[in-house]
């Protein structure tokens, strides 16, 4: 990962990056950009030269705008003007991402922070830099970004150490979630996923990991995970990862859907719907990465993460449409569509959490339905909770982190859709409102934690079709940033 170094005086000065703001709008149209005053001493004449460029180059200062100016034989040899818009955190994150791309062919750059830069500004800038420079390739061939180090020039570098450390951990964990999600399913089976968690957890103190295999799952009654995983040659797992700091007063349980590949099962998906189904464990990746992040940042909140892992395959041992499944808490589900598999594994994990872990707050993330994108498009997760405070807190954290979610209803009128003649619940009614129905189904397993539970259907924002600000094509690591921000507000 790109190195970020805070300094009061640059070690070397090849390319100097100067932030520019949007000018105040006037009646005459777009005002020219203005240079952000830096507190640090710059080489003679550089500020005046940059200021003169702004109108000449018709820069607006909008977030992510870049302009390169060459000064051969002088120091620095290049000036890079970087638009930071109105200077909001979101604009700085976008600027950091644009900078990582604009400077990808250089090895070392120096950015002069504005004199009055807030900690949030620096955190956002660094997150943008580290997230946009992410690449996933399973080959060493091809070009890689050359950019190895970004120096941040500040009058008081120590004031930003925490901001940079937090941004680095947040980005590192987001990148870990992206790696897990991008990995092809020929590699990524449940056992492999559990081994990745084990390796990552071994690097951090005070994390406890328990991985249940098929025998333990059977002995303890995890019927949903076993049914969904039954068709695969790679048997299911349940990962339980616990960050348990001594000073914690709140216990959060996170649950993430971990389908390492979703063929749809016997209710098989058509080709276009199946081709990206290696991402169907993005929820598990996000909650695991957020928990590792909580441990790395030593957040004073207990976090237990549950990742039910299974591969939903077509085979002679696959579960069938019409099967009735008995979940961890004894609830039975009639399933007429083996493609509604995520809720079956989550049901077990939620019931286990509610019964055995007595959480103060219970949050699950899942690439649960295609209906998420139908309702909200590609950017917003669909967020469900009966708890207004919890919903508001998470929405605020997600927004501050640069992610997006939208609160959805849990209408009592639709509960009748979950009725079954044969079992306690029907898991896959085909009556529309797919994301809402799935949320209502999950709620049935939350027991007396129901009023402290929150669910996010994040199938849409878990994947980006192209590079876009801090997102790179492929897995986005959605949820890691928002969850970490939120966990950081708890104690
Ligand atoms: N993994 C899919 C949901 C999904 C779809 C995620 C598109 C990402 C992109 C999930 O298991 C699924 O197949 N859901 C069905 C539910 C239906 C059978 C009730 C769906 O959304 O069609
Ligand atoms: Mn499915
Ligand atoms: Zn699925």
């Amino acid at each position: 990962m790109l190195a970020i170094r805070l300094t009061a005086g640059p070690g070397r000065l090849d390319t100097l990056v100067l932030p520019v703001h949007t000018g105040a709008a006037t009646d005459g149209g777009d005002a020219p950009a203005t240079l952000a005053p830096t507190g640090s001493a710059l080489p003679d004449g550089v500020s005046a030269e940059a200021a003169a460029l702004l109108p000449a180059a018709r820069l607006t200062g909008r977030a992510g705008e870049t302009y390169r100016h060459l000064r051969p034989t002088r120091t620095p040899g290049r000036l890079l003007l970087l638009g930071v818009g109105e200077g909001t955190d979101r604009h700085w994150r976008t600027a950091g991402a644009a900078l990582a791309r604009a400077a990808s062919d250089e090895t070392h750059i120096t950015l002069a922070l504005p004199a009055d830069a807030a900690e949030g500004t620096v955190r956002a800038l660094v997150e943008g830099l580290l997230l946009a420079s992410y690449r996933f390739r399973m080959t060493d061939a091809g070009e890689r970004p050359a950019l190895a180090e970004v120096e941040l020039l500040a009058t008081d570098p120590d004031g930003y150490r925490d901001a940079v450390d937090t941004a680095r951990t947040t980005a590192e964990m987001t990148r870990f979630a992206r790696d897990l999600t991008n990995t092809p399913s020929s590699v990524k089976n449940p056992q492999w996923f559990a081994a990745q968690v084990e390796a990552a957890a071994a690097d951090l103190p005070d994390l406890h990991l328990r991985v249940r295999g098929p025998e333990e799952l059977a002995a303890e009654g995890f019927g949903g995970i076993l049914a969904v995983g039954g068709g695969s040659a790679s048997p299911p797992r349940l990962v339980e990862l616990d960050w348990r700091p001594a000073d914690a007063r709140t216990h959060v349980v996170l649950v993430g859907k971990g389908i390492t590949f979703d063929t749809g099962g016997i209710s098989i998906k058509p080709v276009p719907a199946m081709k990206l189904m290696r991402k169907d464990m993005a929820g598990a990746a996000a909650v695991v990465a957020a928990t590792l992040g909580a441990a790395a940042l030593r957040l004073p909140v207990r976090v237990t993460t549950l990742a039910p892992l299974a591969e939903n395959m077509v085979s002679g041992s696959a579960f069938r449409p019409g099967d009735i499944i008995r979940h961890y808490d004894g609830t039975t589900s009639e399933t007429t569509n083996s493609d509604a598999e995520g809720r079956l594994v989550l049901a077990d994990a939620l019931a286990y959490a509610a019964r055995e872990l007595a959480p103060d707050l219970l949050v699950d993330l899942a690439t649960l339905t295609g209906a998420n994108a139908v309702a909200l498009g590609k950017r917003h997760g669909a967020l469900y909770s009966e708890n207004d405070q919890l919903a508001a807190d998470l929405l605020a954290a997600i927004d501050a982190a640069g992610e997006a979610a939208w609160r959805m209803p849990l209408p009592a009128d639709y509960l009748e859709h979950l009725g079954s003649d044969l079992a306690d619940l029907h898991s896959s009614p085909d009556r529309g409102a797919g994301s809402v129905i799935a949320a209502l189904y999950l709620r049935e397993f939350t027991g007396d934690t129901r009023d402290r539970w929150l669910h996010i259907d994040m199938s849409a924002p878990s994947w980006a079709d192209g590079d876009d600000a801090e997102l790179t094509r492929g897995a986005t690591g959605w949820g890691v940033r928002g969850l970490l921000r939120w966990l950081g507000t708890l104690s």
Side-chain angles (χ1 to χ4, degrees), residues 38 50 73 86 97 110 114 136-137 156 202 245 270 292 295 298 311 325 363 397-398 419 446 452 475:
T38 82
T73 75
E86 290 156 24
T110 306
F136 181 81
R137 280 171 67 82
D156 175 24
L292 295 169
R298 307 202 65 80
E311 188 181 40
I325 289 158
V363 173
I398 287 167
T446 58
R452 287 161 286 146

Side-chain angles (χ1 to χ4, degrees), residues 463-485:
W463 199 263
D465 297 328
D467 292 353
D468 184 5
E470 73 270 28
L471 304 183
T472 50
R473 191 164 68 85
T476 58
W478 194 93
V480 178
R481 286 189 269 155
L483 284 174
L484 263 181
R485 283 256 173 180

Side-chain angles (χ1 to χ4, degrees), residues 181 261 271-280 463 465:
T181 307
F261 194 78
V271 171
M274 202 194 296
K275 68 177 183 194
L276 279 181
M277 281 302 132
R278 70 174 182 280
K279 75 164 185 178
D280 211 16
W463 199 263
D465 297 328

Side-chain angles (χ1 to χ4, degrees), residues 200-223:
D203 291 343
L204 295 161
D206 301 325
L207 272 169
H208 304 277
L209 176 67
R210 174 164 181 203
V211 180
R212 289 174 174 84
E215 292 78 25
E216 291 136 302
L217 293 170
E220 294 179 57
F222 290 91

Side-chain angles (χ1 to χ4, degrees), residues 33-97:
T34 58
L35 211 53
T38 82
S40 316
L42 300 179
D44 280 349
V46 162
S47 292
E49 193 177 327
L53 283 170
L54 298 174
R58 296 178 179 272
L59 294 176
T60 65
R62 85 180 153 70
E65 186 177 51
T66 57
Y67 181 80
R68 198 194 299 236
H69 172 65
L70 303 181
R71 314 164 77 236
T73 75
R74 287 186 289 167
T75 302
R78 290 175 291 277
L79 289 181
L80 208 154
L81 302 183
L82 176 66
V84 299
E86 290 156 24
T88 60
D89 288 357
R90 203 171 272 267
H91 284 168
W92 273 95
R93 203 175 287 111
T94 300

Side-chain angles (χ1 to χ4, degrees), residues 124 126 144 171 214 325 331 340 345 453 475 483:
V126 173
R144 286 181 178 273
I325 289 158
T331 305
V345 304
W453 162 76
L483 284 174

Side-chain angles (χ1 to χ4, degrees), residues 313-328:
M313 292 297 272
V314 191
S315 83
S317 58
F319 78 114
R320 289 150 290 256
D323 282 0
I324 294 174
I325 289 158
R326 182 177 297 275
H327 294 284
Y328 182 82

